[in-house]
Amino acid sequence: MLIYNAVPKAGSLPLMHILHSLVTPNNFTFDMIFHPPDAAYPSAAPLTRLLTMPLESVFISHMAFTVNAPRGTTWVQMVREPIGRMQSMYYYQISNSDDYTMRHGKANIEKRAADVRCGCAKQSFDACVRVRVARNCSLRVDSQLAYFTEGGHGGLEEAIANMRKYYTLVGHVEAFELSVGGFERLIPRFFRGASAMIRNEPDLLHGHRTDATGDGKSFNTKLCVWDTTRQLLAEHAENYAEERAFHEAARQHFSHTLGVAAPSAVACQRQR
């Protein structure tokens, strides 16, 4: 069994598309489950479901790692530079880009507008960070390391240990094509043909565009984060140091596993 406990906004949509497209040619079962959007993520692992699935299966969910998965499970994951991912999540929540945001984007916009002090209604990501720091509002980087801990409740050391012990490969959005090639080389049972898919569907390399226009303003969501914004988050986001350290460990794990240079530590940034 292959489990991809997908981190949201870290290349999960194109990788899910690739795996789903390979079901017939590679002859495996595909299943995925996503809990209601108001549920806490990462969600708990659905052990009853996992333990009854065929061994030749791929299972995908925004769930936390668990040591109680079926014996012989292969774990894979994708991660992303933490602040770039945080920006993507910020815009995604108010977009109209998929079924979730079509149903819940308006409520998220209203929630931001109701919080006059810290809600950042109609603000760009960079402006929101500046406002929240100036008004002494709480700031947290959306966690990736939680997906690598039992039940999503562990800390940095547990996340790194589990990544090194259980994950065949942790790919990176910033090196998506190289990551997919690594999955195919290391896990051909499920990923055979994945690299050819990218050659035939080059749009997979560009990810899923989020157009954040639902709050009455349009933002260029592909702009890099200002360097000043990065500095503010480094100084004020309460979990930044741990998330940054985990991402660095994931970069080194990727480099060691594939024998290549580590992916970029920062996808891009703007100076001001």
Side-chain angles (χ1 to χ4, degrees), residues 14-195:
L15 194 58
M16 283 190 287
H17 172 72
I18 288 171
L19 282 167
H20 188 262
S21 299
L22 293 173
V23 166
T24 298
N26 290 344
N27 191 29
F28 59 81
T29 300
F30 180 93
D31 193 13
M32 63 182 184
I33 181 172
F34 295 101
H35 294 277
D38 57 349
Y41 281 122
S43 57
L47 290 176
T48 301
R49 189 165 182 165
L50 291 175
L51 293 171
T52 58
M53 289 181 64
L55 292 179
E56 301 297 310
S57 298
V58 167
F59 183 77
I60 303 175
S61 180
H62 293 318
M63 73 180 203
F65 170 79
T66 177
V67 295
N68 297 312
R71 183 186 297 273
T73 291
T74 297
W75 289 86
V76 296
Q77 185 59 279
M78 290 284 294
V79 295
R80 184 174 182 176
E81 186 273 313
I83 292 178
R85 177 173 173 262
M86 183 180 181
Q87 179 196 42
S88 181
M89 185 70 76
Y90 176 84
Y91 289 126
Y92 171 73
Q93 290 171 343
I94 59 168
S95 70
N96 294 311
S97 58
D98 60 15
D99 289 342
Y100 162 71
T101 51
M102 288 293 287
R103 294 194 306 271
H104 301 277
K106 183 178 179 181
N108 289 334
I109 292 167
E110 292 172 350
K111 182 178 179 181
R112 289 185 185 182
D115 185 354
V116 177
R117 180 167 171 267
C118 300
C120 294
K122 301 185 185 298
Q123 297 277 357
S124 70
F125 175 75
D126 294 275
C128 179
V129 171
R130 293 195 300 272
V131 166
R132 291 180 72 90
V133 169
R135 296 179 180 177
N136 199 31
C137 304
S138 62
L139 276 170
R140 285 184 61 84
V141 177
D142 296 287
S143 181
Q144 296 184 104
L145 71 83
Y147 288 80
F148 293 80
T149 65
E150 186 71 38
H153 303 300
L156 176 62
E157 291 185 2
E158 180 187 341
I160 292 176
N162 286 341
M163 174 179 64
R164 291 172 175 168
K165 182 176 181 179
Y166 295 103
Y167 284 80
T168 301
L169 180 64
V170 175
H172 287 252
V173 169
E174 295 78 15
F176 187 80
E177 186 171 11
L178 185 59
S179 299
V180 170
F183 290 136
E184 183 170 9
R185 175 160 65 88
L186 297 173
I187 319 168
R189 171 67 187 86
F190 298 107
F191 283 96
R192 186 180 296 108
S195 296

Side-chain angles (χ1 to χ4, degrees), residues 219-239:
F219 299 107
N220 186 343
T221 62
K222 296 298 184 182
L223 285 178
C224 299
V225 178
W226 287 112
D227 56 353
T228 51
T229 302
R230 291 183 175 278
Q231 186 61 35
L232 286 173
L233 287 168
E235 294 172 353
H236 296 278
E238 58 186 84
N239 64 332

